[in-house]
Amino acid sequence: MIDLETRTAGRPGALRRAAPALLGYAAVRALGLLVLALWSAARDKSAYTLLTARWDSLWYTRVAELGYGYEVRLPNGDVHSNLAFFPLLPWLERLGAAVSPLSYADAGFVVSLLASLAAAWGIFAVAKHVYGRRAGVCTVLLWAVLPVGVVQSMAYSESLFTALAAWSLYAVLTGRWVTAGLLASLAGLTRPVGLAVAAAVWAAAVVAFVRSRSDGVPGGARGPGRALGDGARRVLGMVLAPLGAAGYVLWVGHRTGQGPLGYLDVQAGWRNGFDGGVAFARFVAGQFTSFPAALAGVALVAGVALLIWLYVVCVRQRQPLPLLVYAGIVVALALCASSYFGSKPRLLLPAFPLLLPLALALARLRTSRSALVVGGAAVASAVYGAFWLNGSGPP
């Protein structure tokens, strides 16, 4: 069965099977962009500027244009260095500007749009492999209608990372270890949380090795030659998986002269770090000191409880180990980092395996009911995204 899926994954039929999910995803995102354009025009703002030239988008385009070394020193002594931003998206922006009349910002927007479609396809492939086609379509639609789904259309790295992560996980699930390692390495060049993809590859490879050793005949009925080949590919995938993230982190350490942990010093300049969730817990507790801020505190507690509950359900439903490892690390890094708290919702965007229990429930509904649920969520997501992006937005 795995071999069959591996052989057919790249055929035109795979795109036809994914077409409902991709068309549904494109429709949801188009609605979101339309509502954003109308909302922004009413406020005399440019929706395109909001998508391509604010917050992290500006930092990525500066890396693409000027390279690394740019920094801003704040009055309180903090140093914001562009070394905090991983290089794959700026490289693609530079490539797009070099081969077309697009600006760096334009290229970043195009990369995100294409990457979001690739991410939707990868999410569909993973969910379909685990639970079937209908669940795959529902998972993609749920990912599209997330409240902060507008970030998927911004010149940010979330869509690019999710695409690489999803396809790496699919490659793991279908036994293509070298492909999984290469994609994991590219994910590691996109965001620090690329560690989660590499960990998923390693966890799956170790389990596969243990199972092969426990079989009476190495490699089962495939014979020792095939078993040795599979083992070599697993090892190569494991070697490749962490190279992207490790290579960039070590380069930053060399560039700053701070050694292997130099990247942590760069992040500290942005007041980013990993404190086990202490700062986030204090932030949430602080919301309960006044009203109506307490309502936000209740919402935050409910949101964290929902994430934990979804992960527990994923474990109970016995999702494949790579998905559990990946989603667990993404959630842990998002919730337990001391970064700006308003950015946590977008940091959770790549944790799509958490949507699988909800997708299964949605898939059990009649088509008319599931369409009503998704349609309502799409409208709510579009309105919230326009409101959010015209306000505080994703830092």
Side-chain angles (χ1 to χ4, degrees):
M1 177 179 173
I2 290 178
D3 288 341
L4 177 62
E5 282 200 296
T6 303
R7 291 195 298 270
T8 60
R11 294 179 181 176
L15 180 57
R16 286 195 297 270
R17 288 189 292 273
L22 297 181
L23 290 174
Y25 176 80
V28 172
R29 295 290 356 114
L31 174 63
L33 293 177
L34 175 61
V35 173
L36 174 64
L38 295 175
W39 191 298
S40 301
R43 294 174 58 87
D44 198 27
K45 291 184 179 181
S46 167
Y48 190 70
T49 298
L50 294 177
L51 292 168
T52 62
R54 290 183 73 186
W55 303 295
D56 290 4
S57 298
L58 291 174
W59 286 91
Y60 283 119
T61 55
R62 288 193 185 107
V63 174
E65 181 180 5
L66 305 174
Y68 285 107
Y70 177 83
E71 62 183 30
V72 175
R73 295 184 177 272
L74 303 183
N76 65 357
D78 290 345
V79 177
H80 289 183
S81 168
N82 66 359
L83 288 169
F85 296 87
F86 277 50
L88 186 57
L89 178 58
W91 286 348
L92 293 176
E93 289 178 341
R94 182 176 294 181
L95 176 62
V99 301
S100 72
L102 297 175
S103 67
Y104 296 115
D106 295 337
F109 182 64
V110 171
V111 168
S112 289
L113 288 183
L114 296 177
S116 68
L117 288 171
W121 192 358
I123 291 171
F124 170 80
V126 170
K128 174 182 175 293
H129 179 81
V130 178
Y131 292 120
R133 184 182 183 190
R134 188 174 176 86
V137 173
C138 291
T139 305
V140 170
L141 294 177
L142 288 175
W143 191 66
V145 302
L146 288 173
V148 295
V150 68
V151 175
Q152 298 163 15
S153 301
M154 296 181 67
Y156 270 45
S157 60
E158 271 74 16
S159 289
L160 179 60
F161 174 80
T162 304
L164 294 167
W167 283 109
S168 178
L169 291 171
Y170 179 74
V172 168
L173 295 176
T174 54
R176 292 176 291 171
W177 299 103
V178 177
T179 299
L182 285 171
L183 292 173
S185 185
L186 290 174
L189 285 171
T190 307
R191 297 189 62 80
V193 75
L195 166 68
V197 191
V201 174
W202 273 66
V206 169
V207 169
F209 173 77
V210 171
R211 286 177 177 172
S212 69
R213 290 294 297 265
S214 65
D215 288 342
V217 179
R222 294 173 297 177
R226 177 69 179 274
L228 288 174
D230 287 348
R233 285 190 288 270
R234 279 199 300 270
V235 171
L236 181 55
M238 293 175 71
V239 171
L240 290 171
L243 289 184
Y248 181 69
V249 168
L250 291 175
W251 178 80
V252 170
H254 175 74
R255 171 80 179 246
T256 60
Q258 300 299 316
L261 301 181
Y263 182 76
L264 298 181
D265 293 332
V266 170
Q267 286 286 11
W270 287 80
R271 294 187 180 262
N272 291 336
F274 188 88
D275 63 359
V278 173
F280 183 45
R282 289 175 177 169
F283 173 78
V284 173
Q287 303 304 302
F288 291 94
T289 59
S290 63
F291 187 86
L295 297 178
V298 172
L300 288 170
V301 171
V304 173
L306 176 61
L307 288 172
I308 296 173
W309 176 77
L310 285 174
Y311 189 76
V312 170
V313 173
C314 290
V315 174
R316 288 180 175 175
Q317 292 180 345
R318 299 192 177 186
Q319 279 188 17
L321 180 64
L323 301 187
L324 294 176
V325 170
Y326 167 76
I329 294 177
V330 171
V331 171
L333 290 178
L335 296 183
C336 297
S338 59
S339 56
Y340 179 68
F341 306 111
S343 66
K344 292 188 183 296
R346 72 174 177 86
L347 296 180
L348 289 164
L349 271 177
F352 67 88
L354 295 183
L355 298 174
L356 288 172
L358 300 178
L360 283 174
L362 187 62
R364 296 188 188 104
L365 298 178
R366 293 180 180 178
T367 301
S368 58
R369 291 184 178 179
S370 60
L372 184 62
V373 171
V374 171
V379 172
S381 174
V383 172
Y384 178 77
F387 167 78
W388 187 50
L389 209 55
N390 276 276
S392 60

